[in-house]
Amino acid sequence: MSDDIVTVRGVEVPAVGLGTWRLRGDDCRRAVETALELGYRHVDTAQAYGNERRVGAAIRSSAVDRDDVFLTTKLDGGSRKNGAVQRSVRESLDRLGTDYLDMLLIHWPNDKPPFSPVRLPGGPPLAETLTAMNELVDEGLVRHVGVSNFDVRRLDEARRLSEAPIVTNQVQFHPYWDQRDLLSYCRRNDVLLTAYSPLCHGGVLDDDVLRELGRRYGKTAAQVAIRWAIQHEGVVAIPKATSRDHLAANVDVFDFELTEAEMERIHRPSKLRTFTGFARSRLPV
């Protein structure tokens, strides 16, 4: 269908991709292989995930041409200084077995470690990281650059400092997390919002509203949540899954459309639900 691709700044990005956080070893490789077989053409990984080699092996072993896969990775916390950026990206390319990245992101703001409620001094200047990323674009090793987990202020600063357009900001985006201000900013400035954890780490599965709407459309609660995410203008989603059934279901969301009233009904910000979903994701798997 026409809504399975989102275009921003002339860049075409599949609306539903595969997230690979916490996927390791053969499970990761099988998940990526199965996703590509099922029609996925968007795969997201990160240096910090420790699975780039498996992701790359899956892409190479599939029948899908590399140029047809939109592949993203992210810089880890120790690879944000000039020199370290370039070196780490070349190492990522080697692990992934590819000559280029479709998208390279800064994984977290340089002044704010993961899950820290406060800014901390000592990280390399954002300008330094972005300048190095821009050099990789000039070399042809990276096609597009973006950021992840940036708020409006940091995103605005990144856009000002980067010569290459900031194509996306990858953030947590699901019915329980209010990102309306950020989404409005992204729309005004032609920045794609990439939604990770669109299922709130499985927290949407027992949601009564999503289940009710799922019955109306012949879909699961998870499918309704993914549809809710990508039905927002300028949003793509990268849910994680491993089983064939779940992978197939997550991409089977283009044959129905939620009404405006249903979209509003689904959106119920809740820090408790968000925290509960995240806490569940940290349990051993």
Side-chain angles (χ1 to χ4, degrees):
M1 294 178 64
S2 59
D3 60 354
D4 63 353
I5 296 290
V6 178
T7 303
V8 60
R9 296 184 177 273
V11 183
E12 294 186 345
V13 184
V16 177
L18 176 65
T20 63
W21 179 55
R22 301 195 79 196
L23 295 185
R24 300 291 180 88
D26 290 339
D27 286 343
C28 177
R29 178 169 178 165
R30 281 193 296 267
V32 177
E33 288 175 340
T34 303
L36 294 173
E37 179 186 338
L38 291 169
Y40 285 72
R41 295 297 180 266
H42 180 180
V43 179
D44 179 272
T45 184
Q47 294 173 350
Y49 296 171
N51 62 13
E52 288 177 322
R53 199 172 300 280
R54 298 290 184 165
V55 169
I59 293 173
R60 292 194 305 276
S61 68
S62 78
V64 179
D65 190 86
R66 165 66 185 93
D67 289 340
D68 293 330
V69 179
F70 193 91
L71 180 60
T72 297
T73 198
K74 312 176 196 74
L75 298 169
D76 70 18
S79 303
R80 296 177 301 188
K81 293 184 178 181
N82 187 32
V85 171
Q86 296 91 329
R87 181 171 59 254
S88 73
V89 167
R90 286 181 168 83
E91 291 170 352
S92 285
L93 291 171
D94 181 65
R95 288 190 292 267
L96 289 162
T98 184
D99 295 329
Y100 67 94
L101 295 169
D102 294 278
M103 186 77 74
L104 176 66
L105 307 181
I106 298 174
H107 203 155
W108 288 90
N110 291 5
D111 60 353
K112 187 174 184 296
F115 315 115
S116 170
V118 297
R119 297 180 63 185
L120 298 176
L126 181 59
E128 180 177 342
T129 305
L130 288 168
T131 297
M133 293 168 69
N134 276 258
E135 289 180 6
L136 292 166
V137 173
D138 293 339
E139 290 183 48
L141 299 181
V142 171
R143 292 188 172 175
H144 309 289
V145 298
V147 296
S148 181
N149 298 297
F150 275 43
D151 57 19
V152 169
R153 181 189 62 78
R154 291 182 175 90
L155 177 57
D156 191 64
E157 181 182 13
R159 291 182 56 250
R160 178 176 56 83
L161 292 172
S162 180
E163 181 177 344
I166 298 297
V167 172
T168 193
N169 185 16
Q170 184 180 126
V171 296
Q172 184 173 193
F173 188 86
H174 52 69
Y176 313 134
W177 191 249
D178 192 356
Q179 293 280 24
R180 290 189 174 185
D181 289 345
L182 179 61
L183 179 57
S184 294
Y185 176 91
C186 288
R187 287 174 174 168
R188 290 195 306 271
N189 294 282
D190 207 16
V191 177
L192 181 72
L193 190 150
T194 300
Y196 73 75
S197 302
L199 305 181
C200 190
H201 308 286
V204 304
L205 301 182
D206 58 359
D207 185 293
D208 290 339
V209 172
L210 295 173
R211 284 179 168 180
E212 175 194 330
L213 293 174
R215 289 191 293 270
R216 180 177 304 174
Y217 291 105
K219 298 293 181 178
T220 66
Q223 288 172 310
V224 174
I226 293 170
R227 180 68 208 184
W228 176 86
I230 65 171
Q231 199 167 303
H232 287 84
E233 178 187 351
V235 174
V236 302
I238 50 169
K240 181 185 72 174
T242 53
S243 74
R244 172 177 283 272
D245 287 347
H246 288 161
L247 286 163
N250 287 352
V251 81
D252 183 22
V253 293
F254 299 103
D255 58 352
F256 74 108
E257 184 172 341
L258 299 164
T259 67
E260 289 186 15
E262 289 167 343
M263 292 285 287
E264 286 297 321
R265 186 181 174 201
I266 290 169
H267 183 239
R268 290 154 295 143
S270 168
K271 291 183 178 179
L272 177 60
R273 281 180 176 265
T274 298
F275 175 79
T276 300
F278 177 76
R280 182 188 297 116
S281 77
R282 305 304 299 181
L283 296 174
V285 296

